[in-house]
């Protein structure tokens, strides 16, 4: 996949897939709540920062590892079922959808 005619097909497909699954998205570094979906040189990266509704001190850190783990695995499963090659970054917990070679 990749950029065709100025449009990033992989990024658009990942955003559509996650939106159809019911997730709120902030694609391409846009403002807003929900999953942060951005493009890197070789992948689309999906990350999540909880909103302030979790309470003070929980916005910046990983205070809820079970919640992060469940979300990460749900994202990976949804994207794999849609036919994407998915990798979970062990260090950050971000889900990466790789460009197909």
């Amino acid at each position: 996949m990749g950029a065709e005619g100025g449009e990033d097909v992989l990024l658009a497909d990942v955003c559509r897939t996650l939106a159809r699954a019911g997730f709120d998205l902030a694609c391409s570094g846009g403002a807003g709540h929900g999953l942060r979906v951005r493009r890197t040189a070789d992948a689309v990266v999906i990350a999540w920062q909880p909103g302030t509704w979790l309470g003070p001190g929980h916005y910046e850190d990983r205070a809820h590892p079970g919640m992060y783990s469940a979300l990460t695995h749900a994202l990976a499963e949804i994207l794999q079922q849609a036919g994407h090659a998915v990798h979970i970054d062990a260090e950050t917990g971000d889900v990466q959808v790789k460009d197909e070679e």
Side-chain angles (χ1 to χ4, degrees), residues 1 10 13 17 76-86 97-98 100:
M1 295 186 152
L10 180 59
D13 188 49
T17 299
E77 184 66 27
I78 289 164
L79 292 164
Q80 286 170 343
Q81 286 187 16
H84 293 291
V86 176
V97 179
K98 299 289 187 173
E100 293 179 4

Side-chain angles (χ1 to χ4, degrees), residues 13 15 31 46 48 51 53 57 66 72-73 78 86 91 93 96:
D13 188 49
C15 287
I46 303 105
W48 179 65
W53 55 269
T72 298
H73 286 73
I78 289 164
V86 176
E91 190 172 311
Q96 300 173 349

Side-chain angles (χ1 to χ4, degrees), residues 6-7 13 22 24 32 35 45-46 51 61-62 67 70 77 81 100:
E7 178 187 1
D13 188 49
D24 291 330
L35 297 174
V45 179
I46 303 105
D61 63 14
R62 304 267 173 160
M67 191 181 311
E77 184 66 27
Q81 286 187 16
E100 293 179 4

Side-chain angles (χ1 to χ4, degrees), residues 11 15 25-33 35-40 44-45:
L11 177 64
C15 287
L25 305 173
C27 291
S28 298
H33 302 287
L35 297 174
R36 305 286 184 213
V37 184
R38 73 184 192 297
R39 188 65 155 108
T40 64
V44 171
V45 179

